[in-house]
Amino acid sequence: MKFEDIKKIGVIGAGTMGKGIAQVFALYDYPVVLVDTESSILQGAMDKLKKFTEPELWDKVAGNITTSTDKGLFGECDLVVDAVFEEITVKKNVLSSINSICADSTIIATNTSSISINELALSITNPSRFIGMHFMNPPVRMQLVEIIRGENTSEDIVAVITQLTKAMDKIPAIVNDSPGFVSNRLLFALIGEALKLLENGIAAKEDIDTVMKFGMNHPMGPIKLADFIGLDVCLSIMKVLYDDLKDDRYKPPAILKDLVAAGKFGKKCGQGFYDYKKRNAEK
Ligand code: NAI
């Protein structure tokens, strides 16, 4: 498979990331098949995309994205990107079904934040065409795509995905498979420590975020960033990092587990560490 052979792209999972990944491909003129389990989820995803796409670009985005609950449509795709829940069994099931639907030459990529590429590759026959393509949130605005090479990923596929990333005006960083890769290994050391400071009463969440925002020039503080990522996603990532690295800095803090257990998943549901339903919520 060469870069020029990528004519049509599939994305599975139309949540926070999947819809944004579909939007990026569509903006760069790729026809995209976006699949989720229910039509109402797909409709909700398209409604949100419309809200967050410049009006003059909406016809292009809407015209290039076909939504469906039928994974069979991936049979026509040259690249399929997984963006379903960060749960290993869910991802493995989804990847095996993509594997059985798609041609042996189709590149299969995953947007996983933390799960081992080598482990997920076990669900794919011919794992040389399996790769991590880790977009950041929101995909349309964030420039980085972390490209993760599994032990069986072919260098040709790394080159194709690198070229595709650059063709969409994004910046690739190529890393070898390792828990949390580079991005989340570094980010969750910071978020985990910020949550420990909060839990231990060292400072209020606003002050912790203010230190990093105005002292270190981060665009937002780590606790607000956790809310933006989704606290359920953060918890899954920390569990994977802790289980794999056995390093206490990634041990999910009780304060995070409690919010997730209470269904407070962060910005996407209006409540996390911060309240997003209130007008004039902390910026
Ligand atoms: P999300 O929970 O917003 O969306 C997941 C979507 O997958 C849902 O719409 C769900 O209905 C769908 N889904 C689940 N099982 C499915 C199946 N069997 N078939 C079809 N669709 C299915 O999750 P989010 O945040 O978009 O995360 C997706 C992936 O992206 C995860 O691997 C996550 O680690 C990764 N990621 C998340 C980032 C974030 O900031 N939220 C950043 C970078 C990567």
Side-chain angles (χ1 to χ4, degrees):
M1 171 83 61
K2 297 197 190 69
F3 166 66
E4 300 75 33
D5 297 328
I6 299 181
K7 305 263 191 268
K8 192 167 189 177
I9 299 177
V11 177
I12 184 154
T16 308
M17 293 305 290
K19 67 176 186 305
I21 294 169
Q23 178 191 26
V24 171
F25 289 135
L27 282 169
Y28 284 82
D29 291 317
Y30 285 100
V32 181
V33 178
L34 178 62
V35 170
D36 208 301
T37 48
E38 288 174 32
S39 309
S40 58
I41 297 177
L42 290 161
Q43 188 54 54
M46 293 307 284
D47 292 346
K48 276 199 189 137
L49 278 187
K50 185 167 187 184
K51 223 167 120 189
F52 293 106
T53 302
E54 290 174 36
E56 64 274 22
L57 295 173
W58 176 243
D59 282 351
K60 182 196 260 202
V61 170
N64 277 330
I65 299 179
T66 304
T67 58
S68 180
T69 52
D70 177 11
K71 290 196 280 280
L73 298 187
F74 290 149
E76 303 161 4
C77 295
D78 310 296
L79 162 68
V80 179
V81 182
D82 143 54
V84 302
F85 300 135
E86 186 75 348
E87 289 288 336
I88 192 158
T89 41
V90 177
K91 284 207 184 284
K92 281 187 159 182
N93 287 337
V94 160
L95 290 170
S96 339
S97 57
I98 295 170
N99 180 65
S100 58
I101 291 162
C102 294
D104 201 41
S105 56
T106 304
I107 300 177
I108 303 178
T110 176
N111 189 51
T112 181
S113 308
S114 58
I115 301 173
S116 161
I117 299 299
N118 294 335
E119 177 73 26
L120 292 176
L122 298 173
S123 308
I124 313 278
T125 45
N126 181 13
S128 66
R129 43 73 184 257
F130 184 62
I131 191 160
M133 191 176 190
H134 185 201
F135 288 82
M136 305 292 124
N137 186 12
V140 76
R141 282 223 309 271
M142 301 301 280
Q143 280 192 289
L144 176 69
V145 176
E146 191 177 30
I147 296 174
I148 302 112
R149 183 200 276 128
E151 63 190 14
N152 292 310
T153 310
S154 86
E155 284 309 310
D156 289 350
I157 299 299
V158 173
V160 170
I161 295 300
T162 303
Q163 202 176 344
L164 175 64
T165 299
K166 289 181 180 166
M168 295 186 301
D169 298 319
K170 304 238 171 261
I171 313 283
I174 300 170
V175 312
N176 291 326
D177 189 27
S178 171
F181 321 124
V182 170
S183 54
N184 282 325
R185 183 114 163 227
L186 292 174
L187 179 61
F188 280 88
L190 173 65
I191 290 178
E193 209 53 43
L195 297 183
K196 264 181 236 154
L197 289 169
L198 180 63
E199 202 165 59
N200 294 337
I202 308 297
K205 58 182 182 294
E206 293 83 357
D207 291 306
I208 296 169
D209 279 348
T210 295
V211 167
M212 296 312 287
K213 191 169 168 182
F214 297 100
M216 316 297 160
N217 232 0
H218 288 198
M220 72 173 76
I223 300 179
K224 180 158 271 196
L225 179 56
D227 271 353
F228 274 62
I229 292 169
L231 299 184
D232 52 336
V233 177
C234 290
L235 181 58
S236 303
I237 295 171
M238 291 195 82
K239 278 183 181 161
V240 171
L241 285 169
Y242 183 59
D243 287 349
D244 290 356
L245 295 168
K246 310 279 181 251
D247 182 334
D248 269 357
R249 84 180 88 193
Y250 301 110
K251 192 172 182 176
I255 202 170
L256 175 64
K257 290 197 272 190
D258 291 349
L259 281 174
V260 173
K264 295 175 179 171
F265 296 157
K267 186 167 184 286
K268 63 185 166 189
C269 71
Q271 178 73 56
F273 288 101
Y274 291 94
D275 183 355
Y276 299 90
K277 289 181 287 231
K278 271 192 210 153
R279 286 183 70 200
N280 303 324
E282 193 273 345
K283 293 194 173 69

